[in-house]
Amino acid sequence: MINESTPLRIGIVGTSWWADSMYLPAFAAHPGADVVGLCGRTAATAEALATTWDVPWTSVDSDDFLDPGRLDAVVIATGTDSHEELTMTALDRGLHVVCETPLAPDAAAADRMARRAGETGAITLVPFTYRYMPTNQFVKRLIDSGYIGE
């Protein structure tokens, strides 16, 4: 359950440069977020990233990692072929889910994921992280101010 007085306990599945450059900096800067775990394919990679970002817990077992006793929400930042299984497991366990793009390998899988999210009542998001990169935010401010047009 989300409690506005304490930070959201977030786990990230996937330890690629995407997690390192998109998610971890954003969550580190947000007072309502606390990345408490990283799950990757190799222990060494997960542990190195956890050390860099001061994340207390790592795992190489996604089934064990998707633990609602330790997490409120999970970011699925893995290859597209694993998105459906990881998302369904997280939703079935009561976790909120951010799933990277592309959401699924086909429309049928995406539809199953969306239906399950609706059934569980979880908060879900398919992000477009480039929108929040500092350079893109700067260009947006230039456009909004009229400096470079519409």
Side-chain angles (χ1 to χ4, degrees), residues 3 18 33 66 72 75 79 133:
N3 179 340
W18 198 254
L66 298 173
D72 301 308
V75 173
M133 292 181 72

Side-chain angles (χ1 to χ4, degrees), residues 13 62 66 74 76 78 82-91:
V13 182
S62 60
L66 298 173
V74 65
I76 310 294
T78 58
S82 62
H83 287 182
E84 181 179 14
E85 179 182 354
L86 291 167
T87 296
M88 296 299 217
T89 300
L91 291 170

